């Protein structure tokens, strides 16, 4: 019996050692690796979500880059229509070009008869503008074409009042000569400056 109890003790000690080794292996090797594996899977899922988000952002940025040339063309058009500052010389040149193309003689004055640019700029519906009165003289169809061409200029011009007179022969004026008095505003984007 002694042998049996010794064998049993050795078996119990051996079983205890095996269990102790199994527990040590589980807590020292398997459990940390399993925890690390779980963390790695969570990190992978987070990284995949970030990659998906970044791919969407890249696609959006690539679309912006592709639209840049068209946006630059549109910006140039808008900058011509409403420049950052009054650009009076350019405005006068544009008006004169339209007058020449439509065979009319043109003169421009500011509010109250002041030379344009000598009076402080004003605002029209909250937008900085230069008030000017344009007088165009020429044949009836040419005057009408001039008024229409003002509306089609690259620079934004708003006509607030228009009157056309003439047509009858008088001293020094041909029978087919008309005068158009055009009250208008030419716009710019900056703040009004004196």
């Amino acid at each position: 019996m002694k042998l049996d109890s010794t064998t049993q003790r050795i078996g119990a000690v051996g079983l205890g050692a095996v269990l102790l080794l199994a527990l040590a292996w589980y807590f020292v090797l398997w459990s940390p690796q399993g925890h690390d594996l779980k963390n790695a899977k969570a990190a992978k899922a987070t990284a995949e979500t970030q990659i998906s988000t970044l791919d969407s952002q890249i696609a959006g940025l690539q679309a912006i880059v592709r639209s840049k040339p068209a946006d630059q063309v549109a910006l140039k058009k808008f900058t011509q229509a409403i420049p950052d500052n009054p650009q009076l010389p350019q405005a006068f040149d544009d008006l004169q070009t339209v007058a020449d193309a439509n065979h009319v003689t043109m003169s421009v004055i500011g509010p109250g008869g002041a030379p344009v640019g000598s009076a402080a700029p004003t605002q029209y519906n909250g937008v900085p503008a230069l008030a000017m009165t344009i007088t165009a003289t020429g044949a009836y169809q040419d005057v009408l074409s001039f008024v229409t061409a003002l509306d089609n200029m690259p620079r934004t011009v708003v006509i607030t009042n228009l009157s056309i007179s003439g047509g009858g022969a008088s001293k020094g004026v041909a029978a087919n000569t008309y005068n158009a008095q055009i009250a208008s505003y030419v716009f710019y984007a900056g703040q009004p400056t004196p």
Side-chain angles (χ1 to χ4, degrees), residues 92 94-108 133-153 157 159 162 164 179-182 184:
F92 292 146
D94 292 345
L95 289 170
Q96 190 60 55
T97 299
V98 171
D100 292 344
N102 290 284
H103 312 291
V104 298
T105 304
M106 179 194 72
S107 63
V108 179
T133 301
I134 302 168
T135 301
T137 304
Y140 184 74
Q141 285 301 325
D142 293 338
V143 170
L144 289 181
S145 294
F146 173 74
V147 172
T148 302
L150 287 177
D151 189 41
N152 296 322
M153 284 180 51
V157 177
I159 297 172
L162 170 66
I164 298 177
N179 290 315
Q181 295 290 322
I182 305 163
S184 64

Side-chain angles (χ1 to χ4, degrees), residues 49-184:
T49 301
Q50 289 174 341
I51 288 170
S52 176
T53 301
L54 291 173
D55 284 343
S56 296
Q57 290 175 349
I58 288 170
L61 292 172
Q62 288 172 337
I64 290 171
V65 168
R66 284 190 302 272
S67 70
K68 183 179 177 185
D71 292 344
Q72 288 174 326
V73 169
L75 177 62
K76 183 177 179 183
K77 179 181 174 186
F78 293 133
T79 302
Q80 284 178 329
I82 302 178
D84 291 334
N85 56 54
Q87 296 183 1
L88 281 173
Q90 184 64 47
F92 292 146
D93 287 347
D94 292 345
L95 289 170
Q96 190 60 55
T97 299
V98 171
D100 292 344
N102 290 284
H103 312 291
V104 298
T105 304
M106 179 194 72
S107 63
V108 179
I109 58 171
V116 175
S118 65
T122 185
Q123 289 195 358
Y124 181 79
N125 289 337
V127 179
L130 298 168
M132 54 177 72
T133 301
I134 302 168
T135 301
T137 304
Y140 184 74
Q141 285 301 325
D142 293 338
V143 170
L144 289 181
S145 294
F146 173 74
V147 172
T148 302
L150 287 177
D151 189 41
N152 296 322
M153 284 180 51
R155 181 82 180 254
T156 301
V157 177
V158 170
I159 297 172
T160 57
N161 193 11
L162 170 66
S163 65
I164 298 177
S165 61
S170 64
K171 189 175 182 182
V173 178
N176 191 23
T177 301
Y178 290 83
N179 290 315
Q181 295 290 322
I182 305 163
S184 64

